[in-house]
Amino acid sequence: MKSKVVLPENICEDEVVDYLAQRYHTTPNRVVARFLEQEGIITTTPDEGQPEFRLTPNEMEIFRDMGMRPSAIEFTKQ
């Protein structure tokens, strides 16, 4: 069974997310995905060519304080 996590559209446009993307030399989408991975919400396989990084406990807390929670999780049959 596949699932889809739904987040606010503008989350990748947030200046904090953009700052972290620049800090880790990656994209805002990847920073958000890393947060969701570290929270145990999603699992992904590493992308070739993407730098491997982990958000610090403080950065994780910043995301939580931003209210970064999925607004929905949709499940679909394969």
Side-chain angles (χ1 to χ4, degrees):
M1 185 179 297
K2 285 186 165 185
S3 63
K4 176 172 77 172
V5 176
V6 181
L7 296 169
E9 250 179 66
N10 61 349
I11 196 67
C12 288
E13 297 168 8
D14 187 274
E15 62 186 39
V16 172
V17 176
D18 189 51
Y19 169 80
L20 291 172
Q22 290 177 25
R23 177 178 179 182
Y24 290 111
H25 306 290
T26 192
T27 65
N29 288 357
R30 187 68 194 112
V31 172
V32 171
R34 174 57 70 191
F35 169 75
L36 295 173
E37 289 171 308
Q38 286 182 230
E39 282 288 278
I41 296 170
I42 66 170
T43 59
T44 63
T45 54
D47 271 344
E48 290 295 319
Q50 282 288 333
E52 208 40 52
F53 66 95
R54 289 194 61 78
L55 297 170
T56 66
N58 184 53
E59 292 165 345
M60 294 292 290
E61 194 59 40
I62 290 168
F63 269 104
R64 291 182 198 113
D65 288 347
M66 290 171 57
M68 173 70 88
R69 298 280 185 262
S71 59
I73 299 177
E74 298 175 10
F75 293 94
T76 58
K77 292 183 179 182
Q78 284 184 298

